[in-house]
Amino acid sequence: MTAPAATDPLRVALLGFHHESNTFAPVPATLERFLAGGVTEGDEIVERYGSSGATMAGFLEVMDLDDVDCRPLIHADLNPMGTITEEAFEHLVGRMTSALAEGGPWDVVLLALHGAAVAAHQLDADGEIISRVRATVGDDVVIGVALDMHANVSHRMVRNCDLLNTYLTNPHVDARPRARQIADLALAAARGSIRPVMAIATPPLAIGFIRQGTSDWPMRQLVARAAEHAARHGVLSVSVVEGFPYADVPEMGMSFLAVTDDDTALAEVIVEQLAGEAWLLREDFVGTAIDIDEGLVRAAASPDRPVVLLDVGDNVGGGSPADSTHVLAAAQRLGIRNLFHSLCDPAAVEQCTTAGVGASLALTVGGRTDNLHGAPVAVRARIRHLDDGKFEDSGVTHGGFRFFDAGRRSLLETDDGHFVLLTSRPMGNTSRAELTSAGLNPQDLQVIVAKGVQSPRGAYEPIAAEMIQLNTPGCTSADLFSLTYRRRRRPMFPFEPETSYGQSQP
Ligand SMILES: [Zn+2]
C-alpha cells in the first residue's frame, strides 16, 4: 500500500452492518425491520452512537484527530433474530458500497460488523460484505474490522481485510476500546508505520452460551493467555472468538485471531497455541443449566434479593423471540410471588393501551411466536404503567448500548403477585433502567427473570443475590444437541465427541 504524505489528512470511511442471525429462530430479519429505526446515516450515526460504549463509538473517536478526515456513512443495526432476507442484505449492502464508491477515494475503511450475520443467499454474510468493500475500494486501502465476540469467523473474512479483532469480554463491556484499537492500527497502517498481517485458527469446537462468561472458568484462562500474547513484541492484537452456535453455517464455532507487525509466523504460532489450549479445555466448556421449577423454588426461598433467573432458551441477545412463557407459567403453577417478567407482545400492549392505566382486566400474554417458546398465559391484572418504551442507561450495559426502545410498553401487576412488562419489541433485559423507567425498583423484587445468558450480567450482577441459568426450551436452548444442524462442519466437538484436532489429527 502507498502511504499518504504525513501532512495530508487521512480519509476514513465508517460503515456498519450489525446482525447476529439465529438460523433456528422463526422471525426473519427483513428490510422492513431494519428500516424501522435500525439504519442511520451521517450525523445520525454520531448522535446515536457517539456517546455510547458500542463499536461504532470507538471508530467515531478518530473524528477528533487533527490529521483525519472521517466520514460516518451508513450503519445498519438490528437486534438478533432469524436469517436476513436477500432483499434486506442486498439493499443495505448496496447502499454501503454505493456510499463508499461515491464518497471516495479513501485511505481507510472501518467496518463495524457482528460476524455472525447469515443471509438467506449468503451464509457467510460478513465475509461477503468485507469482500464487496474490498472490491469497491481496491487493494491499497486499509480495511479494519471490529467484530462481536460471538462471530463465526471465516478465512474469507480474514483474507479480505487488513485488521480484525473482537471484544474480549462477555458480557460485552469493551466494544468501544476494542474498536478504537482497530481504528488506531488502521491509521498507523495507512501511514505506513506498521504492516499488519493476520492469522486465524478454527478448531472444530462449538461452545454453548452458558460457559461463555469471560470471568468464569474456562474462558478467563483463554482470555488471560490472549492478553499475554498481545503483550509480546511485534504483536498488535489478539482475539479469542467464542463463536455463535445458533447459526447453522460451515464457519460456526470458536476461532482465534492474531495480528502482528509483518510477522506471519508469529501470528500463526499464537493462534495455534490458543486453539490447542482451548481444545484441551473442551470438556470444561460443556455446561448444564438447571430445571425451571428447581430454579424458581430456589429463588423464592433466597433470604437475599433479587435472584435473577436467566431464561437461556429465550435469549433475546441470541435471536429468540422474547415471548417465551415457560418460566411465567411455572411461576403461576408454583405460586411464586414478587416476580418480574418481560414479554414481547404488541397485541396485548394494544389491549392495555385501550384499557388505560389503573384498569383491571383479564388477558392472555406471550407465547405467540411458535410452539417452542410456550403457550399464551392467562392473567388477571391491573395496569400500573404505560409508556412509549424509550429509556436511557448511561451505566454499564452489554455491548455498551445507551438508548433503548422497547416500543409501546405496559406494566401489569397480576393478581398472583407478578409484574409483567409487556413490550412491542423484543427486549433482552440488559439494563436496570428498563425496570426503573417503568416505576419498579429491581432491589424490591424477589425474582427477576432475564431473557439472556451472559448479556444481563453487566446490569444485574452488581445487585443480584444470585444469578441462575435455567434450562428452558427455545431456539437458544442451552442444550446444543436439541438443535438440528444441516450445514455445520463434521466432525465437531461436542456433537461428535471423538473429534480430533492438532497433534492428534491424521
Ligand atoms: Zn455477542
Side-chain angles (χ1 to χ4, degrees):
M1 51 199 77
T2 347
T7 47
D8 298 338
L10 288 175
R11 296 211 69 230
V12 179
L14 305 188
L15 288 170
F17 186 100
H18 207 262
H19 193 255
E20 183 180 74
S21 316
N22 181 328
T23 62
F24 301 98
V27 182
T30 59
L31 180 57
E32 195 187 355
R33 291 196 172 94
F34 271 104
L35 294 179
V39 181
T40 40
E41 291 185 273
D43 291 343
E44 289 172 346
I45 297 176
V46 183
E47 276 164 41
R48 181 172 301 189
Y49 299 99
S51 65
S52 76
T55 298
M56 188 51 86
F59 288 167
L60 285 166
E61 286 181 18
V62 306
M63 287 184 92
D64 296 335
L65 303 176
D66 290 337
D67 56 349
V68 170
D69 175 9
C70 174
R71 304 291 168 96
L73 298 179
I74 176 165
H75 188 38
D77 186 11
L78 179 63
N79 50 298
M81 55 178 73
T83 302
I84 302 162
T85 62
E86 179 174 351
E87 182 196 27
F89 182 87
E90 293 301 332
H91 173 92
L92 295 166
V93 179
R95 275 169 67 178
M96 289 165 67
T97 49
S98 301
L100 260 188
E102 285 159 20
W106 307 101
D107 298 302
V108 172
V109 179
L110 297 176
L111 266 174
L113 302 180
H114 181 286
V118 183
H121 64 310
Q122 294 286 354
L123 295 183
D124 178 14
D126 297 284
E128 180 66 19
I129 293 171
I130 298 172
S131 305
R132 289 193 197 180
V133 167
R134 175 59 81 204
T136 305
V137 297
D139 290 339
D140 290 340
V141 174
V142 178
I143 301 177
V145 184
L147 301 170
D148 189 282
M149 203 171 184
H150 289 111
N152 291 320
V153 186
S154 67
H155 288 260
R156 183 174 174 227
M157 288 162 73
V158 175
R159 264 198 320 274
N160 284 287
C161 67
D162 301 283
L163 292 150
L164 200 58
N165 79 359
T166 70
Y167 319 148
L168 283 174
T169 57
N170 188 359
H172 307 321
V173 295
D174 61 343
R176 183 171 177 153
R178 292 295 281 174
R180 178 64 196 257
Q181 182 192 55
I182 285 294
D184 286 340
L185 292 173
L187 297 177
R191 293 280 183 214
S193 48
I194 55 170
R195 189 179 171 279
V197 291
M198 287 196 283
I200 180 173
T202 55
L205 175 61
I207 61 170
F209 269 32
I210 58 176
R211 285 296 174 88
Q212 290 194 354
T214 46
S215 351
D216 307 329
W217 180 265
M219 270 309 296
R220 68 166 186 266
Q221 167 83 8
L222 292 179
V223 171
R225 193 72 77 222
E228 286 169 25
H229 285 301
R232 292 166 70 174
H233 179 72
V235 179
L236 302 175
S237 179
V238 179
S239 299
V240 177
V241 196
E242 294 182 319
F244 184 63
Y246 305 109
D248 182 14
V249 293
E251 298 78 27
M252 187 275 287
M254 209 175 196
S255 61
F256 301 87
L257 290 165
V259 189
T260 62
D261 189 4
D262 205 13
D263 191 342
T264 307
L266 176 60
E268 277 165 6
V269 165
I270 290 171
V271 295
E272 289 307 331
Q273 280 184 5
L274 286 168
E277 190 160 350
W279 188 253
L280 293 175
L281 294 167
R282 64 193 180 282
E283 298 283 356
D284 291 6
F285 280 111
V286 181
T288 48
I290 76 168
D291 288 341
I292 298 173
D293 285 14
E294 188 187 336
L296 279 166
V297 169
R298 191 160 118 198
S302 168
D304 300 314
R305 64 188 190 192
V307 174
V308 176
L309 296 179
L310 297 157
D311 186 349
V312 176
D314 195 18
N315 174 9
V316 180
S320 279
D323 76 338
S324 168
T325 52
H326 290 294
V327 182
L328 187 62
Q332 267 191 352
R333 178 167 46 74
L334 295 169
I336 309 290
R337 301 186 70 85
N338 195 15
L339 168 143
F340 170 85
H341 197 296
S342 70
L343 288 168
C344 177
D345 190 336
V349 173
E350 280 283 328
Q351 222 179 322
C352 297
T353 306
T354 309
V357 173
S360 293
L361 73 173
L363 72 168
T364 57
V365 293
R368 298 196 204 277
T369 308
D370 59 17
N371 295 328
L372 194 57
H373 301 86
V377 166
V379 296
R380 295 192 61 82
R382 189 173 67 84
I383 301 168
R384 276 187 42 141
H385 177 89
L386 287 167
D387 67 15
D388 66 359
K390 292 192 169 62
F391 59 92
E392 183 181 345
D393 191 334
S394 55
V396 175
T397 65
H398 182 71
F401 294 104
R402 176 170 185 152
F403 301 105
F404 294 81
D405 185 355
R408 284 207 61 80
R409 300 188 301 180
S410 172
L411 178 66
L412 303 178
E413 184 171 357
T414 71
D415 288 357
D416 48 0
H418 300 154
F419 298 94
V420 178
L421 183 63
L422 301 171
T423 65
S424 299
R425 293 182 177 189
M427 293 302 288
N429 313 116
T430 56
S431 163
R432 298 206 301 271
E434 181 185 32
L435 278 68
T436 52
S437 61
L440 284 177
N441 180 357
Q443 270 139 318
D444 292 342
L445 295 157
Q446 181 69 26
V447 187
I448 294 172
V449 180
K451 292 181 175 295
V453 185
Q454 309 296 342
S455 56
R457 287 174 63 170
Y460 285 104
E461 240 164 18
I463 64 155
E466 191 183 1
M467 299 189 79
I468 301 173
Q469 296 173 336
L470 297 185
N471 190 20
T472 45
C475 65
T476 50
S477 167
D479 178 10
L480 298 182
F481 289 84
S482 71
L483 304 167
T484 307
Y485 292 92
R486 290 184 293 116
R487 298 181 292 229
R488 68 168 172 83
R489 286 171 283 167
R490 285 166 206 273
M492 191 173 200
F493 188 86
F495 308 105
E496 289 83 31
E498 70 289 354
T499 308
S500 57
Y501 177 67
Q503 299 299 330
S504 55
Q505 238 172 358

